[in-house]
Amino acid sequence: VTQVQINAGIGLGFPQVLRAAMRQDPDVIALGETRDTETARMALEAAMTGHLLITSIHATSASGVLQRLENLGCGSTLVAQSVAVVIVQRLARRLCPQCARVEPPPSAMVESLAARRLIEPGTTPGLPRAVGCEACQGTGYAGRVLVAESLQMTEEVRTLLMAGTALGEVEKAALNSRALQPFSSYAAQLMARKMISASEALLAVSE
């Protein structure tokens, strides 16, 4: 394993290190951050030529990652051929397992949850909420938990991207084919497992 520290003060940025790393023909490249055009293009080209490249990029959703790459000057064809999977994470407060209580939520909460696809419309399930005990020092929460959205680059999604289809339509098609697993699906599973409260689930799926 070879690690290189970025040092902007001497002109050693992500593009320079990535270019040097490529000359060593690595199997896996972990790139700390993709935030400029040169780095984005080099990263996608490296991924397209058989390297497993893992990187982070600032975006609020899976489709937002694709849009961000296009805004950085990467063509939709390059993005479609290079990206394998996108995972976007948000953090929510984890309920304390010692005192979390399941109760029917208020009607206003039910409407909000149903509108955001966190529960089935017309149902009023018992949902966990924070209570507070000695174990969590009265807060009702203990640590944080990941709420994720994932997009798998299937052949259908690749074809739509390469055809120049609007990202909104690509997102709909990916959702229908289950290539896209949205925040709401993941948050609903965490609620069912009594790991997050209804209010935290709503915060996690908010735009």
Side-chain angles (χ1 to χ4, degrees):
V1 176
T2 301
Q3 179 181 359
V4 180
Q5 180 68 39
I6 300 301
N7 188 342
I10 61 173
L12 188 64
F14 286 111
Q16 290 76 27
V17 175
L18 182 56
R19 188 177 294 110
M22 288 292 293
R23 296 193 184 101
Q24 302 176 42
D25 192 28
D27 296 320
V28 181
I29 302 172
L31 182 63
E33 187 178 356
T34 299
R35 57 186 176 188
D36 61 81
T37 298
E38 187 178 3
T39 303
R41 287 179 178 172
M42 289 179 61
L44 291 178
E45 289 171 359
M48 189 167 58
T49 54
H51 302 85
L52 174 60
L53 189 138
I54 304 167
T55 187
S56 64
I57 189 168
H58 292 290
T60 58
S61 65
S63 60
V65 170
L66 305 180
Q67 184 176 41
R68 175 69 175 147
L69 288 170
E70 291 188 5
N71 290 342
L72 286 172
C74 301
S76 56
T77 299
L78 178 60
V79 174
Q81 292 178 339
S82 304
V83 175
V85 64
V86 175
I87 300 176
V88 184
Q89 67 172 22
R90 295 176 181 175
L91 294 175
R93 291 182 295 177
R94 182 194 296 265
L95 285 170
C96 173
Q98 303 297 324
C99 62
R101 183 180 303 168
V102 176
E103 296 177 351
S107 57
M109 176 71 77
V110 171
E111 293 176 5
S112 296
L113 292 169
R116 289 165 177 79
R117 300 179 180 178
L118 289 164
I119 62 173
E120 290 294 328
T123 62
T124 309
L127 296 175
R129 72 172 184 87
V131 177
C133 64
E134 291 185 3
C136 60
Q137 299 180 345
T139 63
Y141 298 96
R144 295 187 291 177
V145 64
L146 170 71
V147 182
E149 177 172 274
S150 63
L151 172 64
Q152 184 178 358
M153 196 64 66
T154 61
E155 286 303 318
E156 179 186 8
V157 175
R158 281 196 176 93
T159 300
L160 290 172
L161 283 175
M162 293 173 67
T165 307
L167 285 178
E169 295 301 318
V170 174
E171 187 174 24
K172 288 180 182 178
L175 191 60
N176 291 334
S177 66
R178 301 184 65 82
L180 173 63
Q181 295 294 323
F183 284 117
S184 57
S185 175
Y186 202 99
Q189 294 180 43
L190 293 177
M191 279 198 304
R193 295 170 61 185
K194 294 173 56 176
M195 295 180 68
I196 63 173
S197 65
S199 57
E200 285 294 306
L202 287 172
L203 288 173
V205 302
S206 62
E207 296 297 332

Short mmCIF file of all heavy atoms in Angstrom, two decimals, residues 7 51 55 142 150 173 189:
data_model
loop_
_atom_site.label_atom_id
_atom_site.label_comp_id
_atom_site.label_asym_id
_atom_site.label_seq_id
_atom_site.Cartn_x
_atom_site.Cartn_y
_atom_site.Cartn_z
N ASN A 7 -0.22 18.21 -0.89
CA ASN A 7 0.39 19.43 -0.37
C ASN A 7 0.26 20.52 -1.43
O ASN A 7 1.09 20.64 -2.32
CB ASN A 7 1.86 19.19 -0.01
CG ASN A 7 2.47 20.37 0.72
OD1 ASN A 7 1.94 21.49 0.69
ND2 ASN A 7 3.59 20.14 1.39
N HIS A 51 -9.07 -0.12 -13.58
CA HIS A 51 -8.69 0.07 -12.18
C HIS A 51 -9.94 0.23 -11.33
O HIS A 51 -10.93 0.84 -11.76
CB HIS A 51 -7.81 1.32 -12.02
CG HIS A 51 -6.57 1.29 -12.85
ND1 HIS A 51 -6.55 1.69 -14.17
CD2 HIS A 51 -5.30 0.92 -12.55
CE1 HIS A 51 -5.32 1.56 -14.65
NE2 HIS A 51 -4.54 1.08 -13.68
N THR A 55 -13.64 7.04 -4.73
CA THR A 55 -13.42 8.45 -4.43
C THR A 55 -14.66 9.05 -3.79
O THR A 55 -15.73 8.43 -3.77
CB THR A 55 -13.05 9.24 -5.70
OG1 THR A 55 -12.68 10.58 -5.34
CG2 THR A 55 -14.22 9.29 -6.68
N ALA A 142 -28.12 7.35 21.12
CA ALA A 142 -26.78 6.81 21.40
C ALA A 142 -26.02 6.68 20.09
O ALA A 142 -26.19 5.71 19.35
CB ALA A 142 -26.89 5.46 22.09
N SER A 150 -28.36 4.56 -2.88
CA SER A 150 -27.41 3.92 -3.80
C SER A 150 -27.98 3.84 -5.21
O SER A 150 -29.18 3.67 -5.40
CB SER A 150 -27.05 2.51 -3.31
OG SER A 150 -28.19 1.68 -3.30
N ALA A 173 -36.37 6.04 -14.20
CA ALA A 173 -36.16 4.70 -14.76
C ALA A 173 -35.38 3.83 -13.79
O ALA A 173 -35.69 2.64 -13.62
CB ALA A 173 -35.43 4.81 -16.10
N GLN A 189 -36.39 1.13 6.56
CA GLN A 189 -35.85 -0.10 7.14
C GLN A 189 -35.26 0.17 8.53
O GLN A 189 -35.41 -0.65 9.45
CB GLN A 189 -34.78 -0.68 6.23
CG GLN A 189 -35.30 -1.18 4.89
CD GLN A 189 -34.17 -1.74 4.04
OE1 GLN A 189 -33.30 -2.44 4.50
NE2 GLN A 189 -34.19 -1.40 2.75
#
